[in-house]
């Protein structure tokens, strides 16, 4: 049991809601039938396609996320991110299983070093939600489950990599791991003198805001490392009151909060939606960071937005938002030393 100091009790006075996040996670909707029924969608129209996609990449949607989907609306932008379609079974040229070639960038199980100064630790292969467009939907997570020895090996490797000053907790979703494990990882990293920052990429505070509990705040608050939390929110409807509260609690640890989105056809490929997303994020205390061009992963071609359309959207955002609310449009290309900005070419195209 984690001991809470009076100062921390004062800084983080209450847990959000009474239900534990683990319970909400294990009660998630995991079948096409249950998903359609809970949203009042006609199985005659949707079940066959949903079952096809579900066999390729299983459904997982926790109740707090489901609650934000409009009942009976098959085009709801949040539903589109979680409802499998028959199109997932179509093989389309150029859409591959490992679009970012991550298998080749793994020096030690669970450790991915794509960039010189940053290393990515795969804390867990699990996610709280299965996003249909995910570029890691085929990633062999089972090969990257860390034993205690492998954990020690990854830490040793980081000790011997003075060029790395930032570690990124990724996954899956790293916050699916329990706080005991996360706190052990965080404490081990603190002992590596050349590390400056801990970055956490997570969708959990959005999907199950109850995840931002006191135990999480405790180990985050006590780390000497600068904390950066990168949320993953694609649509303004994903930000409701409990999510705003979770964000406020994360900020109370001194963390900087950023957001990354993926541009997705039928979800957020309209300027009005992206403007609203930036405004809502900022009101909640989060800065828009990246807008990812779509990664061509097998099974998700129906979400693709062309680079040209994405650039046109960026022109609208630049016209309508202050610069600090315009995310950078980027694509991750295998083997490149950083993400590749696509919006730099706007003037060339005009
Ligand atoms: S939460 Fe992130 S890693 Fe998990 S399925 Fe969604 S996009 Fe992929």
């Amino acid at each position: 049991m984690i001991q809470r100091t009076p100062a921390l009790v004062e800084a983080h006075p209450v847990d959000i809601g009474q239900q534990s996040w683990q319970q909400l996670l294990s009660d998630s909707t995991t079948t096409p039938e249950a998903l359609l029924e809970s949203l009042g969608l006609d199985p005659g129209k949707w079940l066959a396609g949903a079952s096809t996609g579900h066999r390729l990449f299983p459904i997982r949607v926790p109740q707090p996320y489901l609650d934000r989907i409009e009942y009976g609306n098959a085009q709801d932008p949040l539903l589109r991110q979680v409802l499998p379609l028959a199109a997932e079974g179509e093989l389309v040229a150029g859409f591959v299983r490992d679009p970012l070639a991550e298998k080749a960038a793994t020096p030690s199980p669970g450790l991915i070093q794509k960039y010189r100064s940053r290393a990515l630790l795969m804390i867990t292969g699990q996610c709280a939600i299965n996003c249909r467009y995910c570029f890691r939907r085929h990633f062999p997570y089972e090969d990257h489950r860390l034993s205690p020895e492998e954990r020690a090996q990854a830490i040793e490797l980081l000790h011997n990599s003075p060029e790395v000053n930032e570690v990124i907790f990724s996954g899956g979703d790293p916050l699916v791991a329990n706080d005991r494990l996360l706190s052990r990882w965080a404490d081990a990293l603190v002992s590596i003198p050349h590390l400056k920052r801990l970055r956490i990429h997570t969708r959990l505070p959005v999907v199950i805001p109850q995840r931002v509990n006191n135990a999480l705040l405790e180990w985050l608050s006590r780390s000497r490392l600068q904390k950066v939390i990168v949320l993953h929110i694609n649509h303004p409807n994903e930000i409701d009151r409990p999510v705003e509260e979770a964000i406020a609690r994360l900020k109370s640890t001194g963390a900087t909060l950023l957001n990354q989105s993926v541009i997705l056809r039928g979800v957020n490929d309209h300027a009005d939606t992206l403007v609203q997303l930036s405004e809502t994020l900022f009101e909640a205390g989060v800065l828009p960071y990246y807008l990812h061009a779509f990664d061509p992963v097998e099974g998700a071609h129906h979400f693709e937005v062309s680079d040209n359309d994405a650039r046109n959207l960026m022109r609208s955002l630049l016209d309508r938002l202050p610069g600090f609310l315009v995310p950078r449009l980027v694509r991750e290309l295998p083997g490149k030393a950083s993400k590749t900005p696509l919006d730099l070419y706007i003037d060339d195209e005009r």
Side-chain angles (χ1 to χ4, degrees):
M1 174 72 77
I2 292 172
Q3 297 299 311
R4 301 179 64 203
T5 65
L8 280 168
V9 172
E10 206 181 359
H12 316 301
V14 283
D15 274 334
I16 300 170
Q18 296 306 309
Q19 255 178 305
S20 83
W21 67 272
Q22 291 97 334
Q23 192 59 50
L24 288 162
L25 184 60
S26 76
D27 291 347
S28 295
T29 295
T30 53
T31 66
E33 293 82 359
L35 181 60
L36 297 179
E37 192 190 337
S38 67
L39 293 169
L41 297 175
D42 178 7
K45 191 165 174 198
W46 299 101
L47 186 57
S51 301
T52 301
H54 173 65
R55 277 192 291 276
L56 298 165
F57 183 43
I59 289 174
R60 173 171 286 280
V61 194
Q63 191 61 40
Y65 194 83
L66 217 46
D67 289 343
R68 282 166 258 168
I69 297 176
E70 189 189 347
Y71 188 82
N73 179 8
Q75 301 310 319
D76 183 284
L78 275 58
L79 175 66
R80 289 187 60 92
Q81 298 179 53
V82 295
L83 175 67
L85 301 177
E88 294 184 25
E90 295 164 9
L91 292 179
V92 175
F95 288 77
V96 297
R97 296 177 73 81
D98 183 15
L100 305 187
E102 289 191 318
K103 272 157 91 178
T106 312
S108 156
L111 187 69
I112 296 181
Q113 192 171 357
K114 290 194 278 196
Y115 307 125
R116 187 173 156 73
S117 61
R118 288 144 282 164
L120 192 144
L121 273 173
M122 276 202 181
I123 300 287
T124 167
Q126 281 183 280
C127 285
I129 188 167
N130 282 349
C131 312
R132 310 314 304 174
Y133 53 85
C134 181
F135 72 85
R136 290 200 180 122
R137 55 183 282 160
H138 307 287
F139 194 82
Y141 285 117
E142 59 287 358
D143 299 347
H144 292 269
R145 210 167 282 142
L146 295 187
S147 65
E149 294 72 34
E150 287 166 336
R151 237 188 353 252
Q153 195 187 330
I155 293 290
E156 180 69 21
L157 201 71
L158 288 169
H159 263 288
N160 296 328
S161 307
E163 75 282 6
V164 173
N165 62 20
E166 176 173 329
V167 167
I168 304 170
F169 281 0
S170 184
D173 192 315
L175 295 190
V176 171
N178 68 54
D179 288 302
R180 249 190 348 269
L181 178 72
L182 289 166
S183 139
R184 274 209 300 273
W185 270 116
D187 290 347
L189 295 180
V190 162
S191 70
I192 302 176
H194 50 268
L195 286 186
K196 292 183 181 166
R197 286 183 297 279
L198 169 62
R199 195 189 329 168
I200 301 174
H201 282 205
T202 179
R203 191 149 159 72
L204 242 166
V206 181
V207 174
I208 304 179
Q210 291 81 351
R211 174 64 185 94
V212 185
N213 59 0
N214 290 327
L216 168 63
L217 298 173
E218 205 99 32
W219 65 259
L220 259 183
S221 299
R222 74 165 182 260
S223 174
R224 74 155 173 90
L225 300 174
Q226 286 189 296
K227 278 95 47 182
V228 181
I229 298 174
V230 183
L231 299 174
H232 175 175
I233 302 174
N234 296 314
H235 193 281
N237 291 1
E238 289 176 70
I239 306 172
D240 63 0
R241 186 79 199 124
V243 172
E244 287 171 353
E245 287 170 14
I247 289 169
R249 284 160 65 75
L250 287 170
K251 281 179 78 78
S252 74
T253 66
T256 299
L257 267 83
L258 306 172
N259 182 61
Q260 56 180 347
S261 312
V262 183
I263 189 157
L264 300 166
R265 185 193 297 180
V267 174
N268 59 8
D269 57 335
H270 287 283
D272 289 349
T273 306
L274 292 174
V275 166
Q276 189 56 47
L277 175 59
S278 280
E279 295 281 2
T280 310
L281 283 168
F282 193 64
E283 280 161 25
V286 182
L287 272 175
Y289 174 39
Y290 280 144
L291 178 61
H292 286 271
F294 188 74
D295 293 313
V297 63
E298 184 183 300
H301 66 93
H302 50 294
F303 286 111
E304 188 183 24
V305 174
S306 73
D307 286 356
N308 248 0
D309 287 349
R311 286 194 188 102
N312 282 334
L313 283 167
M314 288 305 293
R315 289 187 184 111
S316 296
L317 297 196
L318 286 165
D319 283 346
R320 294 172 58 179
L321 287 168
F324 62 91
L325 290 187
V326 179
R328 271 176 286 167
L329 177 65
V330 292
R331 157 151 298 126
E332 194 162 335
L333 296 169
K336 290 276 183 191
S338 66
K339 293 199 167 54
T340 304
L342 296 190
D343 48 351
L344 290 185
Y345 304 105
I346 285 176
D347 282 339
D348 297 342
E349 296 260 318
R350 273 187 165 155

